[in-house]
Amino acid sequence: MKKLFRGTVKSSVKLVLDAKRVAHEINEDLSDIAAEATAEVFASDLQEGADVPRQPTKKTRSTSATT
């Protein structure tokens, strides 16, 4: 019984690590897509002759703590 439990735990840990790896890769892909889109908007603004290209809006995090 102990070997079965140990195998289940090892498999679960491997599954979690694989899921984290995949999530990290997806996050990198999304960051790349966002950077490419930002570059395209910037290039579009330059081609349109804008004096100052638009600045991308940055997300702000709430600093208020709830207790």
Side-chain angles (χ1 to χ4, degrees):
M1 187 70 171
K2 187 175 180 179
K3 286 185 179 184
L4 177 64
F5 181 71
R6 183 182 184 110
T8 302
V9 170
K10 286 175 76 173
S11 296
S12 298
V13 169
K14 184 180 181 327
L15 182 63
V16 168
L17 291 176
D18 287 345
K20 283 184 176 183
R21 181 186 50 80
V22 169
H24 181 74
E25 289 175 4
I26 290 171
N27 187 33
E28 286 181 348
D29 290 344
L30 291 175
S31 294
D32 291 346
I33 291 169
E36 289 174 10
T38 301
E40 288 176 9
V41 168
F42 188 78
S44 173
D45 284 351
L46 288 177
Q47 287 178 349
E48 292 174 2
D51 292 335
V52 178
R54 288 179 281 182
Q55 294 291 321
T57 57
K58 294 184 179 182
K59 294 180 182 177
T60 58
R61 292 187 181 187
S62 175
T63 57
S64 62
T66 57
T67 54

